[in-house]
Every structure is written in structure tokens, then in C-alpha cells.
Amino acid sequence: MSTTSAFNDEKGGSSSAGEPEYGHDPASGGIFSSDYKRHDDLKEMLDSNKDSLKLEAMKRIVAMIARGKNASDLFPAVVKNVACKNIEVKKLVYVYLVRYAEEQQDLALLSISTFQRGLKDPNQLIRASALRVLSSIRVTIIVPIMMLAIKEAASDMSPYVRKTAAHAIPKLYSLDPEQKDQLIEVIEKLLADKTTLVAGSVVMAFEEVCPERIDLIHKNYRKLCNLLIDVEEWGQVVIINMLTRYARTQFLNPNINESLLEEGGEKAFYGSDDEDDDDEEKKAEAAALAKRKPYVMDPDHRLLLRNTKPLLQSRNAAVVMAVAQLYFHLAPKAEVGVIAKALVRLMRSHSEVQYVVLQNVATMTIKRRGMFEPYLKSFYIRSTDPTQIKILKLEVLTNLANETNISTILREFQTYIKSMDKDFVAATIQAIGRCATNIGEVRDTCLNGLVQLLSNRDELVVAESVVVIKKLLQMQPEQHSDIIKHMAKLTDNIQVPMARASILWLIGEYCEHVPKIAPDVLRKMAKSFTNEEDIVKLQILNLAAKLYLTNSKQTKLLTQYVLNLAKYDQNYDIRDRARFIRQLIVPTDKSGALSKYAKKLFLALKPAPVLESPFKDRDHFQLGSLSHLLNAKAGGYQELPDWPESAPDPSVRNVEVPEWTKCTSRKERKEKKVEKPFYSDSEGESGPTESADSESDTGSGSESGSEESGSGSESEESEEESESEEEEEDEEDERTKKKKKIEKSKPKKPESAERSECFPFRSMISTIAPSSSVRMYELLHRITGEGLAVEYCFSRQPFSPDPHMVAVQIQFTNNTSSETKSLHIEDPKLQSGMRIKEFPEIAGESVNVVMGIDFCDSTQAANFQLCTHTRKFFVSIQPPVGELMVPAFLTENEFKKEQGQLMGMNEISEKLNLGEKCQSDHAIVERVTAKANLSRVPCGSEKENRFAGKTVSSGSLVLVTVARKEGGGAQLTVNCEKMVIGTMLVKDILQALTQ
Amino acid sequence: MIHSLFLINNSGDIFLEKHWKSVISRSVCDYFFEAQEKAGEPDNVPPVIRTPHHYLINIYREKIFFVSVIQTEVPPLFVIEFLHRVAEMFQDYFGECSEVTIKDNLVIVYELLEEMLDNGFPLATESNILKEMIKPPTILRSMVNTITGSSNLGATLPTGQLSTIPWRRADVKYTNNEAYFDVVEEIDAILDKSGTTVFAEIQGVIDACVKLSGMPDLTLSFMNPRLLDDVSFHPCVRFKRWESERVLSFIPPDGNFRLMSYHVNAQNLVAIPVYVKQNISFFESGSSGRLDITVGPKQTMGKTVECVLVTIHMPKVVLSANLTATQGTYTYDPVTKILVWDIGKLNQQKLPNLKGSLSLQSGAPKPEENPSLNIDLKIQQLAISGLKVNRLDMYVEKYKPFKGVKYVTKAGKFQVRT
């Protein structure tokens, strides 16, 4: 024991100089005695009754461990204190124990009972810390105890203990892989956990123990997506990486039709946050062209993309990178663009972060160049960048080069060539070469530039240029005999072997283009042959052979001479080559059939080299991974699977829903409020904080909203029914045809209907709708629609394809057992000027789509036909006036100024008595924003509330002021250029406020 | 994930090691030393080094290499980001992150590392939680500790870990409740020889120092939030509120933290606060050169430009500089070949100028390239993008806090090519 400790002491000795605790440096001699002495007094201190002495001793021991010195012989003395009352001492003992238990297994067992007791403690934190230490002790004997403890902790009341259990799983697995099956059971159980605290840790355990058991994820997929934003940063990274792999096995390639599109790589990357409909429309068109099944994105796939996107704004670079790789691997081509901005942002971070990000950007730019083109300048190089960063930026710039920006890039390269960092200059010259081969238009410019560099004073620059020019010339040698001549002259000056070799090869290869110079070069080379480097000598032989074959008259003697020199060279490669060439080209009686073909052998047309990025094809590794960075598989790397040919059954992700979720969404929310943590996606749920937050829509808002919608839809239902009955008569012919089918489908299966409704619906509410007071309207009742129920709401999201349209979110629910296909819109009957942006054809069980309607700022209904593959329904959407506007962000002063301009006819003012429930500021704000899509304007006076918005189509301002008066009275003022809108809005708000 | 961590100083001493799984011999660092030697400059050490059995992921900060040992696949950024978090935590605890402070507080450092990772996976990385468990050293406390022999380990249990807002500890109490926000903007720019902007952008951060009792819920709004093109937030900021209303709504961590960082729309032309007229030339004969630099204010929005500093990395052949500065002082370090001209405040009337001759190594060819100029500057009371905080509202808590906003503009990576 003492020998090992002495050895360790010596190793750590260098850093121990000047440490105060010890009297003398153990490395300076007397190792044994000092060791003995030092530890003796520590032991004494540990045995004492005073906690302060124990603590002092433990602190010194931990300091020793931190320095990497051996303190293992103190084990018995330390372990005795594991049950010490003093928490500070106890913690340090734990630290010691975890470090040395592996070496002193028998003694370590003494401490186990303490932890077992800890596992039963009423305090969750003590239970957790006991489990944490117990599972960190790497002693095989206690595996069964650990297993038991983990199983118990996995069903603990406290989520913190469950989290610790999740952490313990990989520890046990690495100790004893035989426990895998049992551990998988625990993982399965913990995966079902609904708390964010556990989610990250258990997915981590999943990745370490059983990453191949993708089937365990199905049931938890939607939950993980929804919880993601609340999980701690490190857990987010792990979950996102795992979900990327999962999605690759479960969903279809969203870019499946990409290859069919003619536009290919140069398609513009528009709109970062477009809804998928536009994209899908394009896809659908393309598919129609190709007569293939249209691609429809699985709603779960969409859910993942949507819920990860906000994380691009994380402060944690690892999270941003994880989302970026997810989008790169999973998103439809048109949506990948959003990640570029975030990645460029990371470039401002520490140089190590830059290094990793640039590696990944380099890979991305090969596949999706367009994405980073707008950020070209962010990759410009500063002279203060470290060389490895410079070279990576250069790689990215080269990948981004195309016909339009090449001149800018080349100009930038020109400044780089003058840099003092020679490695970087060499890389720049290579980069120029690659631009020249990739972009034909600039080949001559690049070549000229490079030729100019040949007169550079720095030899390295010249040498690198020669090598690159050689590669370029191979593409079109005929036109460039001037350059070859120029380079021939360089042989007098240039000394770098690689460059000399390149020149000689060029002259030999194209000796027919420079018939006069070539023999002369050979003459000079023959003269200096003995002093050349090996690669140059080989090229001299090569040149001699080629000249002998083409111009034997002039060069016969020279060749003989060179071959003779080579015959006695020190290098056997050169001697071999010389022998081989002599046999091949010099005709003797013994020479075989081969010499006839000598010319063909030497002067065969050689293919031009392809200058490729070293990052090509690296994307078969999951981006952001260690394996990608190293371009080699690291241990434990999970391959990113290819997309499946056809999608596996999506219903595996459906979750059996407990009874309560089937009732109204309001209850659902309440439930959520209890267990849901803080900043989950919909703000209305975030609990106590909101109550004071007057601007936001609170939980109570959502409740009243859904109440309203309940009553509202009932009345509309009856209207709708009577309407559609008329229509049904019109279409009787068609109906009779299908009657049988319908009757068959009439007996509904309520179970499946409920189920399908449940999940996507909730996810939609919580993620799409910003305010909780979204009211659903009925478009088609399920009875009239023969099992197809259609609801719509005004999601208040901007409709990105056309800002003048109101986004209408439509939800289709198929209540029948038969499939509904190709839902689409036909024959819109609109008022003059009104426009509809249709959604693409869809199919499926329960789907959400967003369509845009330009109502021209009027509340006239938009009528159209909704078609399925079997039927048509006449429907109409009539917008409440409050939905015809979007919030406008004004300051107080701007508001006053604008209000001043909208006086007179444009101002409508009404006195009212506030209803009982809306006396407070808060209630007013809530009611007004629920009624109309307006934003609040800051206001100095406490008695006033101001709101501003713009109409969607014409963008005219809508300003609303509610001024409270004594005794429950109030004055409502609406200023709007469009008087009709103003009047209607006044009516609506008045109604809302007086109730 | 993360197996072990070694802290190594510039001279190659391993002064701290911590293992989260079984012990890995420190000889693994030899591979690192090899790579370090090959790279020369510390900046050029590759962040990821492959060895036969392990991968070493390292960062270089405050003259310390943080070298972590990895055995299996893990996102490299995950480790790098974590290591930076560790360095920041040291800074937060000890005021600075240096070899001396780490050695002085070895036990605390070891304890911190123990709590931050469990089995190599991050456990508690929020400074508020850690401070609850392990008290940062203060002068008073270290005096008490030497007398009573107690340590900095908190006797309380880390209840913060159970909270849904892990970044804030419970029961915060202050007699003076205050919230200060610093809007710091940096101009990154490359100007070419003639002074035209090759590339410029503004990056900003809002650093906050919030000392408020209880659980305040703050809302910070801007006059012109549309300026902000790309943002990233502290996890406390509610992203949905930002998306819908463009206000920052959050329950702040206690103490200092970075609330957000942002990027200002590149379409807006960036105002460049100074211009530089320079003429550096080297003569073919006589092994000498001439240098003439003038700096003047350009678009400063009426504010004074302060702390102007010009740094030039001279070519290797420059032996010494004989210059005269009309304002400020200059130094030339013949070893590192760095010329620093500290100007101070920019004066509109009398533009600072640095002029004189450079002597070169005799016989050496004249340098190919002229060195580029790095400019440092500071403008108080100005956010160059024009961003303005509108107001800060506090909810939940009843008291009236002191509020303050400060604006500063600095030069980031501001380079003038010559």
C-alpha cells in the first residue's frame, strides 16, 4: 500500500509546492516517514470527539484527493464517520467514500447500512442523497441492494427521488450489465413519469442502457414533446437527440419529393416560421406531377418540429445545436432555414463553441447552401481568429461560393492571401482552387490570380499556388501554354520540392504544348539531379521518359544521362523507377511487347482531379455528435437510421386517456395546472404568477372563453343544421348514390373518435393559440357532415403566406370508421375583393389546417364548399369584427398622436356601466382582448386602458380607450378610419363589458 | 458522459483532478500535452482530441485548460458548454477564475464539481441552488471558519432543487430592493483600407443585477423591440410572452445574471463611431518603415468616445518603434510584436495622432502585408442600435424597488484592415 501511495505522491508532487497544510513536501525525501506521520495526525483528528477537528481533517483529505494524491490508507478511519451527525462532515465523508470504495470493497460495505437507513428517511432530500451515494459506490457485491433501492425509489412520491433513481440506472448498468432487463423495466416506468424533473434524466438512462428499445418511447412521445420546453437545459439536449433518432424511424421523409422537383437546390428559402400548409401545397403539386401519393406530414412529426423551435432561443449552445441538427435531419427543406440565424449567433461565443459550430455549418452548407447565404459576411475572417477557426471559416466560405457571390468572396480571399499566418494562406489558395473548379465562370480569373501569386516573395505561397494551378490546368491545358511556360521559368527559383515536382509533371504531361522549352528544362534538371529531393527526382525521370517518347531526337542523350544518374541513386524507389523506365522506353532486342505501348502508358489522358470538400458526406453522422466532429464512429454512437419507406403505424403513439380528459378542455386545463411546472408553452397555465399580470390572459380568461364557446356553438349548431338541410336536398342525387356507405358508417365508434380528438386537439390548443380565450366555432356538425365534424377558430396568428389574410384554423375530426380522403375547398362564393388562400388537400383522421381568408375588413361571410372524396358541403365562415384586426405595438405618445388624427367622424364614444365582474383593470383588459385581437398600449393614467390594433387587410389603425369613472361608470372610445368597423367594435366591446 | 476533469495551468501542471466514475490515470493528459505542443498557441489546441481509449474535450479559459475525459459518444458542445459553466461558476464564487483562487479554495471547488455532475451528467448547474448548498467564501466567513473550524458547506438541504424555478432560491430578503439592468452593445466590424465597412453588426446583452425580496414577477418592455433580430434568453424568460407581445416577462434569479443577448437587424446600417486614417509602410531599402495613424470620432450620437485603444500585431521583422503620440501613450513589446496605443478620450477638436518610424531587422525582406488594427472603445450612456428600455413593472410583491438602466457601447471585434 505504502509503495503505491508514495508513487502517487511523487506524481502529484509538482503541484504541492507552497501548500500550507503540510509541513514538508513529500517528494523531497523521507516519503515513508512523512506519509506515516501526516496520516497519523489525520487519523487522530478523525477519531476525536470534536466535529471541528473531524471537519478539518476531512477538508485536508479532500484537498489531497483533489490534487490527485492517494489517501486510500485512511479509509477505515474515514468510513467510521459515515454516520456522523454533522452534515458537513458527512458530506465530505461521502465524497471520500465514492472516490475510494472501489479500491477497498470490503471496508466500504461497512457503510452500506447507513445508506439503507437513509433510503427510508421521511425527508425526500435525504432519501435522494442516500441513493445517490449508494449507487455511486462501485462495489459489485451490493448490486442487488442497489437494484432494490432503485426500484423502490422509482415509485417514490417525490419527483426528486425519482430523478435520482434515473441517475442511478446507468451507474448500476455499468457496474453489472446483466441487470439490463430489470433496469429496462424501471426505465419504462420512469419514462411514463409526467414531471419535467425526471424526463431529462430518464431519457439519459434510456440512451445509455437501451437506446435500441425505441418501442418504449411510443407512448411517451407526445408527452416528451410537450414537456420539452420545461425540462432543464441538459435534459433538453439528450431528449432532442433521442427524438431525432426516433422520428427517423417513425415518420416519412418530408423531402421525399424533393428530387422530383425541377427547381432543386436553388429554391428560395422563404419565411422562417411559415406554417406547413404552403410548403405542403408545393409538395402536393409536385407529387401530383409525379403521380405519387401526396406527402402529408404526420401531426406528431409537426408537433416535434413546433415544440423544439422556441429552444433555438436558448442561451445554451448545446441546446441550440441539438435543435439545429433536429431541423436539419427532420424538417422539410423549406423550414430548415430557421436554424441558420441561431447557429450564426453561436459564432459569437467562445472559440471552442465556434469550432464545433463551424464544423457542423460546414457540413450543412454542402447540402443546403442557400440557408447560410444571407449570413455570408458573418464568416469573414479576422486576423485575430485562431488558425483552426480561420480554416473552418474558409471552408464554409468556399462551400457558400456561387456565381452571384463569387466576386465578393474572391475579393475577400485576396486580403487573406496577404496574411502573416502562412498555414492559413496555403488554405486560402486551396480554397481559391476549389472555387475555380466549382464555378466555371471564374476559372480564368482565379487562374490569373494564382499566376500572379507565382511572383510572390513567399516561397510557401508560390509552392501552394503551383500545386493548385497544376490541378486547374489539368482541366483545360490547351489554352494555357503561356502559364506552363511561365511556370517552367520558375524552376530556376522555386525550391519547395512539391512545387518543383508539380511543375515538372505539368511540363512532362503537356510537353507537346511547349515543345521548345521542355527539353531545356530537362537539361537544367539533369544538371541539378543529384541535389534534388526524392519526389522531384521521380518527376525528372517521368519528364525524361515522356520527352524521350515524344521528342527522342533532342532528348535521347539527356534521358540516358538522367537514367544513369538514377541507377546509382541512394533511394531504392528511384533506382527501381529508373530500371523500369529504361526497360520500357528504350527499345532493345530483349524488350517485350510492352514497349510498344509505352507512349500510351505514359501519355494517357488523365482525368482532372476533383477538388472536394473534406466535409462532403459527413452528414451521414448525426450532426452535433462527437462522431461527426471526428468523422469516425465514436464508442456508443447510435446510427441515424434512414427514413422508412412507408410510415409505421402512427396509432402506437396514442395514449389511453383517463376519464377526465374527455370532458371539456377547461377541466383539462385545471388538472394540468396542478402538476404542470412553470413556463409551459401556454401562458395561461403558468399558475400563480399570472394572477397579478394584468396584460396576459389568465386561467380565468380561458375558462370564460370555453364556457362561451360551449353555449355559442350550440346555438350555431341549430342554425347550421337547418341550413345544411336545404343543401342536402339540392344534392340528393349524389347522396342516394352514397347512401349505403353512409348508413354503414353511421354506427360510430365513440371510443376511437374520442381518442383521436383528444391528443392533437390538446396539443393544438396549447401550442398554437397564444391566448387562452380562443373560441371554437362550428363549421360542420358531425351529423350534417355524416360523421365529419369541422370546427374552426381564429387562431390570431399571423398568416404568413399573405399578411392581409386572417388565419382561420380548421380542425377536422372524422367520427366514422371509414377513411375520409382528399379534403379540400371548392367553388368559393365571395364578396367582391375577398380572397381565400386554400389549404392543400389533406387526408386523415383528425387534422388541423390553417387557411387564410381576406375578408376585406368586412364581416361578410365567406362561403365555400368543403369537399371530401365522397361529398360536398356548403359552409360559410363569418368573422366577428374583433378578429379582423391584428395587434399593433404603439407607445403612449404614438397612441396619442394617432388618436389626435382620428377625431370627428372617426371617433365613436359611448358611455356605459361596467358589469359587476369587470370593475377591475384586469377584467377590462381581459374582456376587451378576448373580444378583439388588440394589444395593450402602456398608459400613464390608472383609470384608463388603451388598446391598439390594425385591420388585417387595409392596415388602418383601430384605437380603443376605456376610461373608468367613479361609481362603476366608464367611457368607451373607439377611433378608427373605417367607421363600420368602429361602430361594430363599440357594440361588441360594450356588450362584453356590461355583462 | 463526462468521466473526469483535469485542470491544467499554462506550464503543464495538473493542479486539480476530479473523477465522476472510476478513476482514470492522469497519464491520459499526455495526449493533451502532445497536442498542445503541436498547436503552439493555446488558442490553436483542438477542442476535441482523440486518444486510443478516450476523447479529450478541452477549453482554455483564464490561462487554465479544463480538460475533460470522455469515453463514449456525447455532443461535444454539451461538454464544452458545461465546462464554460464550471468556469463561470468559479468566477461567481471566488470573484475570479484563476489558478490561485482555485488552489486556495480547493475543497469548495471539489464540492462544487461533485454537485454539478452526477455520474457525469449535469445535476445542478444553477448558481442559486449551488449557493444554497455550498456557501461562497467571504472574508468574514473565512475568518469565522478559521476560528471555529467550520466549512463552507451549508448545513441546509438544497430545497431549491425541488423547485419549479430552479434559478431562484426561496425566501430572499433584502432591506434595499433594487433591480439594475445594463444594456451592453458591442460593434463587430471589419473596415477595409479605405475606411469602408466590409462587415458590421451589433451584438448586445442585457446583464441584470436583481436584488429583490420574495418572488417578484418582472416585466421589462422596450420602446423599440422590433430592432431585435435574433435573441436568446435566460431560461427564466417566458418565451411565449416575448413572441406575442415583445416584452420580457420573468421571475428573476437572485443576484447577477444575463437576462438576454441579442443581435440587431443587419439591414439597419450600423453606425461606426470612429474613423481611422492610417498609413503604414515599409521601405524596400534601409530596413525601416513609417507609421502614421489618426483616429477621429464619426457617428457618436453626440456622446464622447472613451477608452480608445489601438492594438497592432506587427510583423516579426519589426524590431522597435520610435513614435510620437499627440495624445495618450504607446508601448511596443518587441517579444510579442504588439504595439498598443492607449488614447483615452477622443477629442473632437484635436484629433489624436501617432506618427514615427519603425526599424526592421536588417537584411530581412520587407513584410508582405501591413498589419491590421484592432480598435477598442467605449461610449457611455448610449446603445448604438438605439434600443431603449421602456419600463420595468413588478408584480406579486408589494414594495417599491429601485430601478435603473445603464447603456454602454463597446467595440467588439473591431478591425481595420490596412
Side-chain angles (χ1 to χ4, degrees), chain B residues 6-8 10 32 36 42 45 59-60 63-67:
Chain B
F6 296 95
L7 300 192
I8 301 174
N10 253 346
F32 171 77
Q36 190 189 5
V45 179
I59 64 163
Y60 182 68
K63 297 187 179 143
I64 302 171
F65 286 102
F66 292 68
V67 181

Side-chain angles (χ1 to χ4, degrees), chain A residues 669 682 684 697-703 705-706 765 769-775:
Chain A
R669 272 150 193 276
S682 76
D697 339 80
T698 61
S700 65
S702 77
E703 279 161 40
S706 48
I765 289 290
S771 59
S772 47
S773 53
V774 170
R775 181 174 157 182

Side-chain angles (χ1 to χ4, degrees), chain B residues 222-242:
Chain B
F222 298 102
M223 304 281 248
N224 37 11
R226 299 204 163 191
L227 274 177
L228 307 180
D229 184 30
D230 180 40
V231 286
S232 73
F233 299 120
H234 189 277
C236 70
V237 177
R238 300 184 179 95
F239 187 68
K240 284 279 161 180
R241 282 289 300 276
W242 170 257

